[in-house]
Amino acid sequence: MSHSNFSSEHHLFELATPHGNAIPVVFAFPNTYSVGITSLGYQTIWADLAMRSEVAVSRWFTDDCEPLPRYAELLGFSFSWELDYVNILAALEHLGVPISSTDRASDSPLVFGGGPVLTANPEPFADWFDFVLLGDGEELIGNMLAAYQQVRDRPRHTQLKHLAKVPGIYVPGFYDITYESPEGAIASIQPIDSDIPATVAKQTYRGNTLSASAVVTAKAAWESIYMVEVARSCPEMCRFCLASYLTLPFRTPSATDSLIPAIDRGLKVTNRLGLLGASITQHPEFDLLLDYLAQPQFDSVRLSLASVRANTLSVKLAQTLASRDSRSVTVAVESGSDRLRQIINKKLHNDEIIQAAVNAQVGGLSALKLYGMVGVPGEIDRDLEETVEMLRSLKKAAPKLRISFGCSTFVPKSHTPWQWMGVDASADKKLKYLQKQLAPKGIDFRPESYKDSIIQAAISRGDRRLQALLRLVYEYSGGSVPSDGMYKRAFKQLRGQIPPLEAYVYENWQSDRVLPWQHLHGPLPANTLQKHLETSLAYRIKPDRQ
């Protein structure tokens, strides 16, 4: 296995020299090096560990790793895409660690995980992790290490009991879950002891500096990019959106005190800059940032932005991007139907989208990437027709722009108002309809896999009974990417032992149902999410208008 990946890295921080009694830690990303090193979350936590002399950290990726300790005490996973779970199972097997936490002996490392997938809903994977970090890692990692140090030489059970008292640390093994029947809903979720907290709250970092790349490398998926997080969360609160609801409140660091110094640090080592965040153009000082990057000394910089709001895509923004080697800009529009956007809570009108396209063309960009969604609760055929009409008018208004429309299927996510809503079983037909209508019009239609969305929905609403299914699928797949048929086969094999696929994916759930993540608290309480759900559904029109 070549270690050339690591030798071509440029570090933007000082690695500490671990002291003699440092804690041996393996910090893993369940995908290839080029994908993992492009994850700002993974980079940030790794740098935090690598700057501590009380820790000796080695990185592990599916295709490369640093020299590993003979006995790791902690094995951590940064988990940001649901379907990477197969690589977590493969990693545990490869590293000789029993997959089930209950099978691990005293010499097994404590296996922990964090990242967006586990913060949203760790339950389908609960048995594989001794403990899970919920929420932002900035303070959580330090608090976890300090707590672990206090019980480092104690038995495993004592260590976990101590860690369970740290805010944001969830020890799944300390919660007893009962079901109304093997295929029924959850009856209750209870801590096994009175000294285990009944609920665990996701941790929210409130400091005024967000993350920036700790390492720049030509081997990253985005070659030699330096990333700066401009904003965390999003104030828009589209009803399906995990990136907004799970990470509230919206946080923006100061441009002059935090972002510009961070950008300067990165541009000393590379000329490729990525500004990240769910809603970066809503940073109150975004214009100031843009003016700063428009200065002549940055003429050779290649700038890429995360998706921008359509009504903030000005000619000035387009010109700055075009002059900084960006050819395209990405805008999430969700739909071409004003009515559907009201249901979603997307505060945007078609004329603003058309204006954004005109501005992009005038400003010198050559492509506009739009993102939409089908299967939104309350969607009718007319909404799809309006999406087609809106895209055609964009093409007329900005004929020189290459327009692509990426489209996903609505997937219910925990901690959002639509966590109770099922997937639209006709979404696949809707994707095919759009394909048929848009291809002849010169619009590059890029649908996300409907089959992947179904598996994603099962995982995002899954409870612990799904673990048996995921293990089975992993065994069928022999470590390769599982096919859609493998999931069907596993559901069939487990019939009567776990709920059917429909119960996880397609059913609308009652509001009083015990949710798999009921004991794990996000930023907003369930009754607030319920109110947001009711508000969105109030916009629906009576079915007789279809």
Side-chain angles (χ1 to χ4, degrees):
M1 194 180 272
S2 99
H3 299 300
S4 60
N5 282 324
F6 303 108
S7 58
S8 56
E9 291 180 343
H10 189 110
H11 298 150
L12 288 106
F13 67 99
E14 288 296 314
L15 281 89
T17 303
H19 58 54
N21 193 28
I23 303 164
V25 178
V26 174
F27 188 44
F29 191 92
N31 207 309
T32 59
Y33 174 85
S34 75
V35 172
I37 210 67
T38 313
S39 159
L40 192 52
Y42 179 80
Q43 276 196 27
T44 304
I45 302 301
W46 166 66
D48 182 331
L49 294 167
M51 285 190 278
R52 297 171 184 271
S53 56
E54 72 272 24
V55 169
V57 62
S58 305
R59 289 174 288 165
W60 184 95
F61 302 93
T62 55
D63 60 345
D64 207 350
C65 65
E66 291 175 310
L68 300 176
R70 199 157 162 217
Y71 295 107
E73 288 179 37
L74 297 171
L75 165 59
F77 287 92
S78 175
F79 191 7
S80 49
W81 189 53
E82 288 96 338
L83 302 182
D84 275 344
Y85 78 84
V86 288
N87 296 329
I88 292 178
L89 294 174
L92 291 170
E93 286 196 331
H94 176 76
L95 297 167
V97 178
I99 285 175
S100 174
S101 56
T102 49
D103 295 338
R104 291 175 195 147
S106 54
D107 61 348
S108 283
L110 286 179
V111 178
F112 72 94
V117 172
L118 292 172
T119 295
N121 177 19
E123 293 304 286
F125 322 101
D127 187 40
W128 314 340
F129 293 98
D130 292 296
F131 65 94
V132 174
L133 306 179
L134 300 177
D136 296 334
E138 278 89 347
E139 283 148 8
L140 204 40
I141 288 289
N143 296 345
M144 178 270 283
L145 290 169
Y148 177 72
Q149 289 276 27
Q150 294 166 344
V151 286
R152 190 177 172 191
D153 301 323
R154 308 291 295 280
R156 197 176 185 89
H157 188 76
T158 312
Q159 290 176 340
L160 289 170
K161 273 210 131 164
H162 188 65
L163 285 164
K165 294 182 173 66
V166 177
I169 295 188
Y170 170 49
V171 181
F174 290 158
Y175 294 80
D176 187 33
I177 301 183
T178 56
Y179 305 95
E180 288 169 5
S181 69
E183 295 184 70
I186 296 170
S188 79
I189 302 172
Q190 301 293 336
I192 55 171
D193 269 332
S194 58
D195 58 348
I196 299 298
T199 60
V200 186
K202 173 198 167 287
Q203 296 302 288
T204 302
Y205 168 66
R206 294 177 188 275
N208 49 12
T209 301
L210 296 178
S211 41
S213 290
V215 55
V216 169
T217 171
K219 302 290 175 80
W222 295 339
E223 194 182 325
S224 302
I225 197 164
Y226 175 77
M227 299 171 283
V228 177
E229 189 184 11
V230 172
R232 192 168 290 182
S233 193
C234 173
E236 291 304 301
M237 296 167 77
C238 292
R239 302 311 185 202
F240 61 80
C241 185
L242 190 70
S244 176
Y245 273 91
L246 188 63
T247 57
L248 290 168
F250 183 51
R251 284 152 283 165
T252 53
S254 153
T256 42
D257 301 344
S258 172
L259 296 176
I260 287 172
I263 287 168
D264 286 345
R265 252 194 337 271
L267 292 180
K268 287 193 175 78
V269 301
T270 182
N271 68 347
R272 187 160 186 201
L273 174 67
L275 301 183
L276 305 190
S279 197
I280 55 175
T281 50
Q282 278 168 290
H283 190 295
E285 299 171 291
F286 187 76
D287 259 6
L288 187 144
L289 213 52
L290 218 49
D291 290 340
Y292 183 76
L293 291 169
Q295 296 177 102
Q297 73 260 37
F298 300 124
D299 278 352
S300 65
V301 168
R302 292 181 65 192
L303 176 64
S304 354
L305 295 192
S307 139
V308 305
R309 269 183 65 77
N311 54 9
T312 59
L313 179 46
S314 59
V315 172
K316 175 183 167 182
L317 173 55
Q319 282 171 335
T320 309
L321 286 170
S323 70
R324 295 292 171 261
D325 204 29
S326 253
R327 293 181 234 340
S328 72
V329 66
T330 304
V331 177
V333 295
E334 312 320 340
S335 169
S337 156
D338 282 335
R339 184 192 72 87
L340 204 61
R341 282 196 297 265
Q342 274 186 312
I343 292 176
I344 291 169
N345 196 37
K346 185 91 180 174
K347 303 165 197 75
L348 186 59
H349 296 287
N350 283 349
D351 52 1
E352 293 174 302
I353 300 170
I354 290 166
Q355 191 57 54
V358 170
N359 292 351
Q361 181 172 293
V362 170
L365 291 171
S366 55
L368 179 64
K369 294 177 183 171
L370 301 172
Y371 279 109
M373 189 176 277
V374 295
V376 169
E379 182 178 63
I380 57 174
D381 292 347
R382 179 72 199 125
D383 299 317
L384 295 175
E385 291 160 16
E386 287 181 15
T387 298
V388 171
E389 285 162 19
M390 183 270 290
L391 289 164
R392 287 176 182 168
S393 15
L394 276 192
K395 200 80 188 128
K396 281 198 189 96
K400 292 187 191 139
L401 274 189
R402 252 196 348 274
I403 293 173
S404 66
F405 186 56
C407 194
S408 61
T409 295
F410 161 68
V411 169
K413 296 285 185 179
S414 58
H415 308 288
T416 71
W418 285 353
Q419 60 187 359
W420 293 278
M421 306 304 287
V423 170
D424 175 357
S426 63
D428 199 21
K429 281 199 190 89
K430 293 175 174 181
L431 290 171
K432 291 188 169 90
Y433 167 80
L434 289 174
Q435 175 86 58
K436 197 174 159 190
Q437 296 296 316
L438 296 173
K441 302 296 171 209
I443 289 155
D444 178 15
F445 182 60
R446 298 177 183 178
E448 278 185 23
S449 157
Y450 173 72
K451 288 173 178 172
D452 280 1
S453 298
I454 296 309
I455 303 312
Q456 217 182 55
I459 290 173
S460 72
R461 287 173 117 196
D463 52 47
R464 291 191 186 180
R465 290 171 291 186
L466 210 57
Q467 292 172 147
L469 179 107
L470 298 179
R471 288 273 304 258
L472 206 50
V473 168
Y474 171 67
E475 282 163 26
Y476 295 159
S477 73
S480 61
V481 178
S483 69
D484 164 54
M486 290 173 189
Y487 289 95
K488 286 185 179 147
R489 183 178 151 202
F491 268 109
K492 204 168 177 182
Q493 189 168 333
L494 294 167
R495 189 177 289 156
Q497 299 169 52
I498 70 166
L501 176 76
E502 290 68 31
Y504 289 119
V505 176
Y506 298 111
E507 272 177 22
N508 290 341
W509 289 352
Q510 295 297 314
S511 59
D512 57 356
R513 183 188 178 111
V514 178
L515 298 168
W517 49 88
Q518 192 103 341
H519 53 312
L520 309 173
H521 287 186
L524 297 177
N527 58 357
T528 303
L529 297 177
Q530 196 70 44
K531 281 186 192 124
H532 290 192
L533 170 68
E534 285 157 16
T535 306
S536 75
L537 298 186
Y539 285 111
R540 293 165 78 155
I541 55 174
K542 294 189 178 72
D544 61 9
R545 294 250 326 256
Q546 287 205 36

